[in-house]
Each structure stands twice: as C-alpha cells, then as structure tokens.
C-alpha cells in the first residue's frame, strides 16, 4: 500500500500486545513505517518490525500529540515525498481493526483531507461551550492525513506550534485548534459514522459498541481501564463491542484480551465487559455428542464417599465423552467407589480412583498433587472439578444452599452443560467457568479475601503471576468447583506442591495454602492469557439477583445520596478514620496470628467483639459480631421469625 505509517510508542507500551499488533499490521500494510518513541534504546526491540525510521521524542511518554507532531514534521519536511497519505496511530489504542485500504480508497474518491475514527461533540459538553470550537472535534487516535492536507498552507506551521502536554491540554490546545484549522481551510473530514449516529459528547468511550459495529478502525485502551462505576453511570456497552471483535477481527480481539487480562484487575474487567452468562437449562434439539476439545476429564474428590452417587449422577449431565478421576481417603472407600462405578455402567478405562496420601489440603491437594500427572500429560483440554461439598462449619440449610449453588450452576442438566461446552468451543480464550460468588448465607460482599490477601500476594509473586489482584473481592471459584481449560491452569499444576505445606486437620484456616490456592485459581488463568466467566442458570440468576438487589438497596438507603460515585466516596472515607484504621490493623493482626498458629482461634474469640466494635460503620459491622447474626437482627427489628 502506497502510504506511510507513524506509530507513537511510549516506553511503557514497548512489547505490549497492542503495540505488537499495530506494528505488525502497519508493517504489512504500508510502504514506510516510522516509530516515534520516548525511549532512547529501542532499536533491538523493534528490529522484527523493520521500521524505516525511529524518532526520539521524550514528550511522547505522556502525550500522543507530541509524538504525532514529531512524526508529521519529520515526514513533511521536504526530504520525503509529501504526496503519500500518512496513517497515524499509537500505543493508546488497539489498531488497526480491519483493513485500511478501503478507507484510503474512500478518501481518494471523496477528496477528503482527513480521516478520523470518531469525534468529540463540543455542543453537548458543558466544559467547552465557550471555547469557540467546531461542533465536532475529530480525534486523531487513528488518523489518515491526505497528501493534499499535508501540502496545504499552514499545515506545518500549525504542527510547529503544537507542544503536547497531557490529554486535556492536548485537546484544548491541540485537537480543538486543529479542528478549527480544518474548518477554516475548508478541509473535509471523513468519519466511519454519520454525524447523527452518535449521541454522546465522547463516543470513543461511551458508544464503543456503535463504533465497532460501524467499522471504526481502533479501540481506545482507555475504555478498558475506566472505573467500572463510570461504565455504570454512562451505560457503556463494552461486551457487544468485544463480541463483534471476536467474530469480525479475531487478531484485534485477542490483542484486547491479552491486554486486559494482564493489566486490569479481573473483577473490574468482568464488570465492565459483563463476564456473566445465564445459560438455558435446555439446548436446541441436536445429535451433537462430541466437541472439538475431545474427551472431558472430570476430577471428583469424594472425601465423603456416600456422595459418590450424587456426584456421578451430576456427571451424567455431561453429554460429551468423559473420564472420571476420583480421589478418596481410604483403600476401603476406593474399592467401594470402584464397585459402585462398575455397577453404574462406567467402563474400566474411563475411571480411575486414587487414595490421597494424606488428609491435608482437602479438595485442593487432592487435585493439584494427586492428579498432577494427568493434567501435565496434556491428554485432556477441558476439565470439570467437583467434590463432596458439605461445609460443616455453617448451618445445614446454608450448607445445602451453597452446594446447590455450585452444582446447579455447573452441571444443572444435559442441555445446560451442552450450552456451556458450546461456549467453551466457540470462545477458546475462555479458561475458567465458575458459579458467581456465593452471598446467600455468607458475608462475602466486598470481603471474600478474608485473611487470604497477603499470603495470596506472596504466592502470586512466587508463581510469577504478573497480573493485578483485585483489592476487595477476588474473582475466584469459591467452593472450588469449576470448569477449566487445562492449559489455562497448567501453572498451578507445574509447581511441585507438598502435603506438608497444607494445614493439618482440623486447622483448615483462612491464610492456609488451600484457601489461598482457591482464591488464586482465577488469577493463574488470567496470567495465562485466558478469560474467566461466571455462569448461572436462569433460576439461580433470579434468586441471586433478588437477594443481592435487596441487600444493596437496604445498605445504600443509609447514605444521603443515590449517586454511586458519592456513595463510594463516603464509604471509602470511613476507612480513613481512626476507628477504621484500628479495625483493619486488628483484623490483619488476627489473620496473621491464626495463619501461623491455627489452634489459637479458640483463645482469640473472646477479643473478637471489642475489635469489631471499632468498625468505622457500626450499623454495617461484620457478621463476626456474634455467633448468630440472625439473633441480632431479630433483636434490632423485633421480628421473631424470617
């Protein structure tokens, strides 16, 4: 293609997925590739892209406009042919999305001076009503400057005056005046969308789904890193944009996924990209009984061997060929389980039952140690983890609810599992499918790290999981049942765990290895470049939403505003009071003690109440206030039931 590409590459973007994607695509599409970077020593890292020139502009580290200015001035200086279109983009966007040639052809046909991917509507942005700017200021995130525009009077003079500073200054003193220059000089601008197709002042963020649908050639990284609360209050629809990318431009989609899983806390990404799926419990009539990934490995820990009947009945909901790998606690249990499975009709070559070496680590050690060899053999691509869940530390009804929550959302029916397997087949970047975090009967909202965050951070560093951990609530398979792609979780199996690293029974405490592994599973998958998806049946989604909405409505009604940003600020400030700081110091100290000496819990219980009384929000204290929160609620409300 007879054109030049200018790519602005800040030092922090060198070697990232967006930069590698852009440089490879631009090198393949353009006759000349110019890289503008803020870093002096980059030639070795760029050699594989064969840039024709590398320009150093220190201000490009913080200002895309400064880098663009350096590239434009160099390429229009007269030493090169100015009659070649210049494509300009940078490391702050994923680009190009799709072929560029059709855009160049349309520009030539319409004699357009500039192509811009989207605009800022100054007429509905209250900050700009008195700036005297054109109604639509074109962004230059993926711009094409025609040869005619480059040769126009005042073009180089304009860019000589642009300095480049930060996003807001660049807009006011760079993009806005450039829009005025184009308007006064009579240079038309080509957009991929008609002027009446976008409704917000900043559609590059707020209407990203429309931009992708209409062929916009770039996706701003900023929309992936915006605070989820801003996504919420602006009703940004990121999921449709990503789904379209997956179908139309797989390379750009994979670039977006690799960028997000390595740079954005997973719960934030799952919130902004709606990584929750309600799957029907029935599937369209079909004879399908095989999937591309072949035989499924089903790993069952039957510590309570009486539950093997229930667990194998659930396994029968898997319509794909599957092998059962079962662990249990004794040789007698092994023989009884094998006898039952034979009588149930499972072929001998589809079943393997092993006895765990020690009763430590419960369902975690029984998978990561006992069946380590099976995963590392690479014989299976997709696997399911189930175990005999009882949760004896809570009431029988809450325990039953927890078990139902896990079993139903993983293996509700043959139709449900068929839909789930279809999704894993269609979206190979899905590495882990989990039920949403349990909150009915449990105080997990905002607090499900419990005392596991610090040891999880240490273990993540040891495993070299170079991903950000969520601060409040991890995206984790709480209850340790999940579907997974074996390559996505391989790193957890490669580490040679030892039985002695797990707590002795009955000291299965927060901060122990088993609980820490449980909360790191999702981040191991994320570090491998895969997504994590929460899956639900319609019944479970309705039940959970009803309870969750009520709890949130009740809690937020205690605050003086309905604006979620103000609510967040008010509550976060409560942590900075002396009571808040004291509470969290005591909480961390308590966690550290029981991690080191698990048996000390019985001696520390008498001090729990005075510690919790230091909570910064007395009306919203932890359920640890008393042994039975329901009793306290009845005392406060006067209710004797419910």
């Amino acid at each position: 293609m007879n054109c030049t590409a200018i790519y602005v590459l800040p030092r922090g973007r060198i070697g990232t997925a967006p930069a590698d994607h852009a440089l490879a695509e631009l090198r393949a599409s353009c006759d000349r590739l110019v890289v503008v970077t803020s870093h002096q020593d980059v030639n070795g890292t760029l050699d594989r892209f064969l840039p024709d020139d590398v320009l150093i502009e220190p201000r490009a580290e913080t200002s895309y406009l400064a880098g663009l200015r350096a590239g434009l001035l160099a390429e229009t200086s007269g030493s090169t042919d100015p009659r070649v279109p210049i494509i300009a983009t940078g490391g702050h966007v994923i680009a190009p999305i799709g072929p560029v040639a059709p855009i160049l052809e349309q520009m030539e046909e319409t004699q357009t001076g500039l192509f811009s991917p989207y605009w800022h509507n100054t007429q509905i942005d209250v900050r700009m009503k008195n700036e005297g700017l054109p109604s639509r200021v074109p962004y230059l995130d993926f711009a094409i400057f025609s040869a005619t525009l480059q040769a126009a009077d005042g073009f180089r003079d304009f860019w000589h005056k642009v300095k480049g500073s930060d996003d807001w200054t660049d807009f006011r003193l760079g993009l806005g005046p450039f829009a005025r220059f184009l308007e006064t000089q009579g240079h038309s601008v080509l957009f991929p969308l008609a002027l009446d197709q976008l409704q917000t002042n900043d559609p590059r963020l707020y209407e990203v789904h429309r931009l992708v649908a209409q062929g916009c050639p770039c996706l701003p990284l900023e929309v992936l890193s915006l605070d989820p609360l801003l996504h919420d209050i602006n009703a940004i629809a990121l999921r449709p944009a990503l789904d379209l990318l997956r179908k139309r431009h797989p390379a750009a989609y994979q670039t977006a996924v690799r960028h997000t899983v390595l740079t954005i806390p997973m719960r934030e990404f799952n919130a902004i990209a709606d990584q929750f799926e309600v799957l029907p419990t029935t599937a369209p009539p079909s004879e399908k009984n095989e999937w591309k990934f072949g035989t499924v490995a089903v790993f069952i820990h039957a510590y309570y061997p009486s539950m093997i009947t229930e667990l194998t009945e659930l396994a029968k909901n898997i319509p794909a060929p599957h092998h059962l790998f079962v662990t249990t606690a004794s040789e007698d249990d092994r023989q009884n389980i094998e006898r039952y499975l034979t009588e149930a009709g499972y072929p001998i070559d589809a079943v393997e039952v092993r006895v765990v070496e020690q009763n430590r680590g419960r369902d975690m050690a029984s998978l990561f140690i006992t069946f380590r060899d099976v995963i590392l053999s690479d014989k299976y691509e997709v696997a399911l983890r189930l175990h005999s869940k009882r949760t004896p530390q809570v009431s029988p009804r809450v325990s039953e609810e927890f078990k139902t929550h896990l079993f139903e959302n993983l293996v509700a029916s043959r139709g449900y599992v068929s839909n789930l397997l279809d999704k894993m087949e269609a979206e190979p970047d899905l590495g882990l499918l989990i039920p949403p975090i349990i909150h009915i009967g449990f105080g997990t909202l905002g607090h499900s790290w419990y005392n596991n965050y610090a040891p999880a951070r240490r273990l993540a560093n040891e495993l070299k999981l170079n991903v950000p951990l969520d601060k409040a609530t991890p995206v984790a398979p709480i209850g340790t049942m999940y579907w997974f792609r074996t390559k996505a979780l391989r790193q957890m199996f490669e580490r040679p765990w030892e039985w002695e690293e797990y707590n002795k029974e009955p000291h299965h405490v927060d901060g122990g290895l088993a609980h820490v592994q449980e909360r790191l599973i999702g981040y191991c998958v994320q570090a491998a470049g895969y997504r994590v998806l929460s899956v639900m049946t319609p019944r479970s989604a309705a039940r959970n939403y009803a309870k969750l909405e009520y709890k949130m409505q009740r809690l937020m009604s205690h605050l003086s505003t309905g604006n979620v940003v103000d609510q967040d600020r008010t509550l976060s400030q409560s942590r900075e009071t002396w009571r808040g700081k004291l509470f969290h110091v005591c909480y961390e100290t308590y966690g550290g003690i029981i991690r080191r000496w698990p048996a000390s819990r019985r001696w520390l219980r008498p001090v729990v109440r005075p510690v919790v009384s230091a909570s910064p929000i007395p009306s919203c204290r932890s359920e640890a206030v008393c042994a039975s929160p329901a009793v306290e609620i009845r005392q406060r409300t006067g209710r004797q039931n419910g």
Side-chain angles (χ1 to χ4, degrees), residues 496-574:
W497 308 102
E498 300 289 343
W499 293 98
E500 290 73 21
E501 295 179 88
Y502 296 89
N503 293 97
K504 292 180 180 179
E505 293 295 337
H507 304 306
H508 191 67
V509 298
D510 276 325
L513 179 57
H515 278 118
V516 171
Q517 285 178 322
E518 176 183 31
R519 284 157 177 80
L520 278 188
I521 285 173
Y523 299 99
C524 183
V525 168
Q526 184 186 16
Y530 291 86
R531 285 186 296 130
V532 178
L533 184 73
S534 293
V535 290
M536 291 168 277
T537 66
R539 190 205 72 85
S540 178
R543 177 168 171 73
N544 277 273
Y545 181 83
K547 300 291 187 293
L548 182 61
E549 186 193 41
Y550 174 78
K551 285 190 279 194
M552 294 305 298
Q553 295 285 0
R554 178 165 173 168
L555 290 174
M556 294 302 102
S557 70
H558 296 302
L559 300 178
S560 59
T561 174
N563 182 289
V564 67
V565 176
D566 292 337
Q567 291 171 336
D568 180 67
R569 184 184 301 111
T570 299
L571 293 174
S572 65
Q573 287 173 348
S574 70

Side-chain angles (χ1 to χ4, degrees), residues 275-281 405 408-410 416 434-436 534-542 544-545:
Q275 295 300 289
F276 291 77
E277 194 78 21
V278 178
L279 297 171
T281 54
H405 176 78
E408 177 179 331
N409 289 315
L410 292 173
Y416 181 83
I434 60 176
S534 293
V535 290
M536 291 168 277
T537 66
R539 190 205 72 85
S540 178
N544 277 273
Y545 181 83

Side-chain angles (χ1 to χ4, degrees), residues 578-600:
W578 71 266
R579 293 177 65 178
K581 292 177 181 178
L582 175 62
F583 174 79
H584 288 286
V585 167
C586 293
Y587 187 83
E588 291 297 324
T589 302
Y590 171 80
I593 292 172
I594 65 169
R595 283 197 298 272
R596 188 168 183 180
W597 300 288
S600 65

Side-chain angles (χ1 to χ4, degrees), residues 146-327:
S146 70
T148 302
L149 177 58
Q150 296 171 50
D153 292 340
F155 180 83
R156 279 179 53 81
D157 289 341
F158 174 86
W159 286 103
H160 265 297
K161 296 174 184 176
V162 172
K163 300 302 181 184
S165 175
D166 54 57
D167 288 347
W168 180 237
T169 303
D170 284 356
F171 187 91
R172 292 186 64 252
L173 303 181
L175 295 182
F178 186 59
R180 193 183 300 116
F181 168 81
L182 293 172
E183 187 175 70
T184 57
Q185 294 289 322
H187 298 287
S188 59
V189 182
L190 175 65
F191 296 106
L193 287 85
L195 297 183
D196 60 354
Q197 286 184 279
L198 300 175
Q199 305 163 338
T200 61
N201 64 358
D202 198 355
R204 70 194 171 100
L205 302 179
Y206 305 146
E207 298 179 78
V208 62
H209 62 298
R210 289 196 175 97
L211 295 173
V212 172
Q214 295 299 320
C216 178
C218 66
L219 178 73
L221 295 183
E222 188 178 354
V223 76
L224 301 173
S225 60
L226 276 183
D227 189 313
L229 295 183
L230 295 181
H231 272 261
D232 178 83
I233 63 179
N234 290 289
I236 298 172
L238 179 60
R239 171 77 180 269
L242 294 178
D243 287 347
L244 274 174
L245 275 185
R246 183 191 304 111
K247 294 176 183 177
R248 295 180 181 178
H249 311 292
Y253 171 77
Q254 288 300 326
T255 298
V257 169
R258 285 196 298 272
H259 170 76
T260 54
V261 298
L262 294 176
T263 61
I264 299 171
M266 192 174 359
R267 186 159 293 281
E268 293 188 11
F269 173 68
N270 284 14
I272 66 175
D274 305 334
Q275 295 300 289
F276 291 77
E277 194 78 21
V278 178
L279 297 171
T281 54
T282 58
S286 171
E287 299 297 322
K288 184 175 183 178
N289 58 10
E290 291 187 1
W291 280 258
K292 292 178 182 177
F293 40 72
T295 302
V296 172
V298 181
F299 295 96
I300 294 175
H301 182 49
Y303 180 78
Y304 304 106
S306 60
M307 286 187 65
I308 193 65
T309 302
E310 182 178 6
L311 290 165
T312 51
E313 285 300 312
L314 291 171
K316 289 179 182 178
N317 286 336
I318 303 172
H322 56 278
H323 291 171
L324 295 184
F325 295 92
V326 184
T327 47

Side-chain angles (χ1 to χ4, degrees), residues 333-549:
D333 290 341
R334 183 186 70 80
Q335 293 178 10
N336 291 334
I337 289 171
E338 284 182 340
R339 187 180 306 113
Y340 170 78
L341 292 175
T342 300
E343 293 172 355
Y346 274 93
I348 294 176
D349 61 352
V351 172
E352 184 173 353
V353 184
R354 298 180 183 179
V355 178
V356 296
E357 293 179 27
Q358 299 184 36
N359 184 27
R360 285 195 180 197
R362 301 186 181 182
D363 54 283
M364 305 302 291
S366 63
L367 177 63
F368 294 131
I369 295 179
T370 306
F371 282 122
R372 179 175 187 262
D373 60 310
V374 176
I375 294 296
L376 298 185
S377 72
D378 292 326
K379 290 178 61 177
Y380 303 93
E381 183 178 337
V382 168
L384 168 65
R385 178 54 163 166
L386 299 172
H387 62 90
S388 51
K389 186 72 173 172
R390 282 193 178 170
T391 323
Q393 68 270 27
V394 298
S395 73
R397 178 66 199 99
V398 172
S399 174
E400 181 185 16
E401 176 74 25
F402 196 2
K403 185 180 74 170
T404 299
H405 176 78
L406 298 171
F407 287 168
E408 177 179 331
N409 289 315
L410 292 173
V411 280
S413 66
R414 287 181 70 85
Y416 181 83
V417 177
S418 179
N419 293 329
L420 185 150
L421 295 177
D422 283 345
K423 192 156 194 68
M424 292 193 78
E425 183 179 64
E427 301 177 23
D429 62 304
L430 277 178
L432 183 70
L433 278 71
I434 60 176
I437 189 168
I438 181 74
H439 66 86
I440 298 176
F442 291 87
T444 56
L445 295 183
H447 294 279
S448 58
W449 276 113
Y450 300 122
N451 283 299
N452 295 289
Y453 183 83
R457 180 72 275 169
R458 289 193 294 271
L459 183 56
N461 291 336
E462 178 191 330
L463 295 173
K464 294 182 171 55
L465 304 182
N466 190 26
V467 295
L469 298 186
D470 292 284
K471 289 297 179 65
T473 300
V475 178
I478 302 297
T480 56
M481 299 192 212
Y482 47 91
W483 287 90
F484 66 103
R485 213 174 292 272
T486 56
K487 287 183 179 179
L489 205 51
R490 185 181 179 88
Q491 193 170 0
M492 193 69 84
F493 288 90
E494 288 179 332
R495 202 272 201 187
W497 308 102
E498 300 289 343
W499 293 98
E500 290 73 21
E501 295 179 88
Y502 296 89
N503 293 97
K504 292 180 180 179
E505 293 295 337
H507 304 306
H508 191 67
V509 298
D510 276 325
L513 179 57
H515 278 118
V516 171
Q517 285 178 322
E518 176 183 31
R519 284 157 177 80
L520 278 188
I521 285 173
Y523 299 99
C524 183
V525 168
Q526 184 186 16
Y530 291 86
R531 285 186 296 130
V532 178
L533 184 73
S534 293
V535 290
M536 291 168 277
T537 66
R539 190 205 72 85
S540 178
R543 177 168 171 73
N544 277 273
Y545 181 83
K547 300 291 187 293
L548 182 61
E549 186 193 41

